[in-house]
């Protein structure tokens, strides 16, 4: 079968590998579409500290069930599905307490273990979720949406809350959609006007170009000097984290989704003075997958405009190169793993 393989940083190719064989409690899936995550790009460029090589990337995907034993989830051959790609050990302290997203030995497909960018994979049945009529392209967007959905639900957003999202990449845009679904007034900051136009398209109540406007001054103007009830850091930058602290109201919540790569230095007494709640967020739960699938199936949200390009599997190298050199104009990029369009 065709398989996308990163042999080492900046060396990626489509190669032939053996078909997988499903074991007990597993289903054989034909992969339809895969979304390229920032973590996949980091593996490609050699900036992902948890990746070893060679590595098959991909943890955002949709698939069709080819073979599956009888199960209590109602899944059957022919179903178009998606799946949870974070494998937890079930034994560590986090897993024993139910925090499976924070497993201390977490293995995410495409990072610590081989991923879904190949024509066929096997998955434990307990990790597979019915697509509820969503298209294969839509289902390939579910996993990144769950990242933001999980994070935003940690903030306990109330209808009418003023929410600031810093960063209008795909995760920031999904965070915008999640916050709007909870009834918030949402403002999005970014350096790129193209991304801010996307934010307006997805329902932002206002946008701020933080390269041209003073973010703190705009935050004070929007909130009448009170600050935002919730600030979402979706860049992974020290500068944007500190901006969230500055723009947050007293007793506000700050959510960190962006995966920072540099140390941040600040006087922590500001957290005490404002009594800020700072939440980290990692991965997502089964309930997040089901909630996002239900939200998309309700047709109240259309996320297909998030997709900037679709490449066939034979041009996977071009897709990775495009994202590695992204000037901000690309949001989600999909790879069509199967030949047919579903």
């Amino acid at each position: 079968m065709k398989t996308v393989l990163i042999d080492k940083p900046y060396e990626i190719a489509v190669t032939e590998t053996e078909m997988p064989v499903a074991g007990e409690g597993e289903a054989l899936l034909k992969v339809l579409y895969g979304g390229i995550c920032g973590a996949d790009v980091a593996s490609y460029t050699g900036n992902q500290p948890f990746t070893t090589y060679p590595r098959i990337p991909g943890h955002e995907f949709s698939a069709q069930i080819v073979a599956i034993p009888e199960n209590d989830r109602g899944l059957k051959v022919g179903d178009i599905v998606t799946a949870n790609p974070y494998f937890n050990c079930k034994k560590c302290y986090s897993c024993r307490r139910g925090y499976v997203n924070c497993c201390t030995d977490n293995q995410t497909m495409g990072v610590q273990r081989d991923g879904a960018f190949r024509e066929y994979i096997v998955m434990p049945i307990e990790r597979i979720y019915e697509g509820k009529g969503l298209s294969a392209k839509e289902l390939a967007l579910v996993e990144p949406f769950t990242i933001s959905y999980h994070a935003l639900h940690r903030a306990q957003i109330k209808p009418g809350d003023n929410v600031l999202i810093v960063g209008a990449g795909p995760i920031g845009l999904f965070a915008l959609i999640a916050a709007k679904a909870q009834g918030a007034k949402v403002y999005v900051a970014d350096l790129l006007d193209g991304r801010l136009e996307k934010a307006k398209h997805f329902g932002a109540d206002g946008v701020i170009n933080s390269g041209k406007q003073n973010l703190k001054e705009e935050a004070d103007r929007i909130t009448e000097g009170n600050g935002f009830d919730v600030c979402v850091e979706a860049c992974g930058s020290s500068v944007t984290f500190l901006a969230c602290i500055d723009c947050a109201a007293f007793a506000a919540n700050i959510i960190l989704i962006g995966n920072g790569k540099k140390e941040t230095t600040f006087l922590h007494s500001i957290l005490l003075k404002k009594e800020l709640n700072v939440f980290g967020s990692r991965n997502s739960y089964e309930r997040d997958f089901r909630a996002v699938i239900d939200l998309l199936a309700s047709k109240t949200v259309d996320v297909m405009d998030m997709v900037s390009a679709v490449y066939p599997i034979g041009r996977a190298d071009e897709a990775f190169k495009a994202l590695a050199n992204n000037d901000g104009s690309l949001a989600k990029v999909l790879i069509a793993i199967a030949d047919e369009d579903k």
Side-chain angles (χ1 to χ4, degrees):
M1 64 175 181
K2 295 177 182 177
T3 298
V4 178
L5 185 70
I6 302 174
D7 190 53
K8 58 184 178 180
Y10 292 102
E11 290 194 13
I12 186 170
V14 178
T15 186
E16 293 288 328
T17 58
E18 294 295 322
M19 282 278 295
V21 177
E24 184 177 351
E26 294 181 329
L28 177 65
L29 305 180
K30 180 180 182 179
V31 182
L32 302 177
Y33 286 93
I36 302 178
C37 174
D40 297 316
V41 177
S43 294
Y44 169 69
T45 59
N47 293 312
Q48 171 55 262
F50 304 118
T51 296
T52 55
Y53 302 94
R55 178 64 66 219
I56 301 169
H59 59 263
E60 309 170 2
F61 66 94
S62 60
Q64 185 172 37
I65 298 177
V66 175
I68 191 170
E70 285 191 23
N71 59 87
D72 59 5
R73 300 171 81 89
L75 297 168
K76 60 187 184 302
V77 171
D79 284 351
I80 308 299
V81 299
T82 189
N84 184 325
Y86 328 117
F87 284 73
N88 59 295
C89 71
K90 302 182 180 181
K91 298 176 182 178
C92 71
Y93 188 47
S94 297
C95 287
R96 297 199 308 271
R97 291 183 296 153
Y99 301 118
V100 296
N101 62 314
C102 293
C103 173
T104 57
D105 190 31
N106 171 75
Q107 293 193 2
T108 297
M109 292 174 64
V111 183
Q112 293 95 342
R113 62 166 58 199
D114 282 335
F117 286 4
R118 42 187 160 167
E119 290 184 290
Y120 295 90
I121 60 171
V122 296
M123 287 291 291
I125 295 171
E126 65 185 20
R127 294 185 166 275
I128 302 172
Y129 308 124
E130 178 191 357
K132 294 193 174 182
L134 295 175
S135 71
K137 288 180 181 176
E138 289 174 307
L139 286 169
L141 299 177
V142 166
E143 189 277 338
F145 196 164
T146 68
I147 296 296
S148 299
Y149 188 91
H150 173 77
L152 268 292
H153 276 70
R154 299 206 68 198
Q156 301 177 342
I157 293 172
K158 302 182 294 298
D161 276 354
N162 283 317
V163 175
L164 173 66
I165 297 172
V166 184
I171 294 300
L173 294 175
F174 281 127
L176 159 63
I177 297 169
K180 291 295 292 184
Q182 295 180 61
K185 296 178 182 178
V186 186
Y187 299 81
V188 179
D190 199 280
L191 295 170
L192 302 174
D193 287 329
R195 286 186 169 184
L196 294 175
E197 286 301 314
K198 281 280 189 185
K200 287 191 281 188
H201 174 78
F202 285 109
D205 294 277
V207 298
I208 304 165
N209 186 315
S210 50
K212 301 174 183 177
Q213 299 166 281
N214 185 292
L215 182 54
K216 178 63 166 62
E217 289 178 2
E218 288 299 302
D220 287 340
R221 180 185 62 80
I222 292 166
T223 65
E224 299 180 342
N226 294 319
F228 284 93
D229 303 297
V230 176
C231 291
V232 181
E233 199 292 315
C235 298
S237 162
S238 301
V239 172
T240 48
F241 172 45
L242 296 177
C244 284
I245 294 175
D246 286 341
C247 294
F250 280 62
N253 291 334
I254 295 176
I255 308 295
L256 305 179
I257 311 179
N259 192 1
K261 296 178 176 63
K262 294 182 179 179
E263 292 184 357
T264 302
T265 302
F266 65 101
L267 188 61
H268 76 268
S269 60
I270 188 64
L271 303 181
L272 283 65
K273 178 182 178 181
K274 284 189 168 183
E275 198 176 58
L276 297 175
N277 303 305
V278 181
F279 294 86
S281 185
R282 184 184 186 190
N283 298 340
S284 51
Y285 292 117
E286 176 174 341
R287 63 175 179 262
D288 299 311
F289 278 85
R290 296 196 180 280
V292 166
I293 290 170
D294 286 343
L295 178 59
L296 295 180
S298 73
K299 302 304 179 183
T300 58
V301 175
D302 183 2
V303 294
M304 288 311 299
D305 283 341
M306 198 80 72
V307 179
S308 299
V310 180
Y311 288 78
I313 188 172
R315 294 171 55 204
D317 59 333
E318 295 178 41
F320 273 82
K321 288 175 183 175
L323 281 173
N325 296 286
N326 187 11
D327 61 1
S329 60
L330 296 175
K332 287 308 299 179
V333 171
L334 302 181
I335 293 179
I337 307 294
D339 293 331
E340 66 268 27
D341 190 9
K342 288 190 179 290

